[in-house]
Amino acid sequence: MSDGISDDAEDVVGVLTERIEARFALGMDQLKAAVTAAPTANPDATDVVKWHGLLVQAQSVLDHAEDDLLAVLETQPSEVDDPTMGLADLVDAAVTTRDGRAMVVRWLLDPDAPGKTGLAAERLARLRPRTGPAVQTSAPHRPAATPAPSAAAWRAGRLAR
């Protein structure tokens, strides 16, 4: 941004992008394509790509909120009115969101981060999405020698009870 409010904040996205690219030895576009092609192949890469996308989105929202606030401030007299304060609150919320997402990306990139070893890591692993169905989704296989009961036999068995 040319306005100077968050030039250093934009660097946060750039720095984290560089760290991601160095960690996975791929550019972001290549990494996104690899994750899209095989989302379960590397859960760490999938998580990083997801959160990096959320970070970039949050930075975009922040940029627009800052632009809106600056446009209003340029036309304001010395006193700031309630609608302008509302825009300032939106900028503040956008900064908080962006910073939170940046913290998640940093945590994902740090193999020694708290919660990534021991009991906390085991619990985290259980929260990861499963790669297959949690329950059997097809009928059980019957050996060829055991015929399935007919509807008449089933009814006869139910009536005999």
Side-chain angles (χ1 to χ4, degrees):
M1 279 175 70
S2 60
D3 59 17
I5 288 182
S6 67
D7 287 339
D8 60 334
E10 284 185 28
D11 291 341
V12 169
V13 175
V15 167
L16 290 175
T17 300
E18 289 174 8
R19 287 184 57 197
I20 292 167
E21 291 173 343
R23 161 95 184 273
F24 295 97
L26 293 172
M28 277 308 298
D29 290 339
Q30 294 169 312
L31 186 59
K32 287 177 192 175
V35 164
T36 300
T40 59
N42 186 335
D44 291 338
T46 300
D47 288 345
V48 166
V49 166
K50 171 189 168 187
W51 281 97
H52 180 268
L54 292 171
L55 172 62
V56 169
Q57 178 186 37
Q59 182 64 52
S60 177
V61 169
L62 174 58
D63 291 344
H64 291 294
E66 287 178 338
D67 291 345
D68 292 346
L69 177 59
L70 283 174
V72 170
L73 287 174
E74 289 174 356
T75 64
Q76 285 277 308
S78 60
E79 283 189 32
V80 176
D81 60 11
D82 287 341
T84 305
M85 286 304 296
L87 288 173
D89 289 341
L90 287 175
V91 169
D92 187 48
V95 168
T96 300
T97 300
R98 191 270 326 272
D99 290 352
R101 290 175 180 180
M103 287 174 56
V104 171
V105 171
R106 282 187 202 106
W107 184 84
L108 289 169
L109 291 172
D110 183 357
D112 299 321
K116 287 200 170 180
T117 58
L119 183 59
E122 291 173 26
R123 287 181 179 157
L124 182 64
R126 283 183 282 203
L127 293 176
R128 285 200 185 267
R130 298 177 187 265
T131 57
V135 297
Q136 187 172 348
T137 58
S138 59
H141 175 71
R142 291 189 177 278
T146 309
S150 68
W154 181 81
R155 277 191 226 106
R158 293 278 291 170
L159 294 174
R161 289 186 195 176

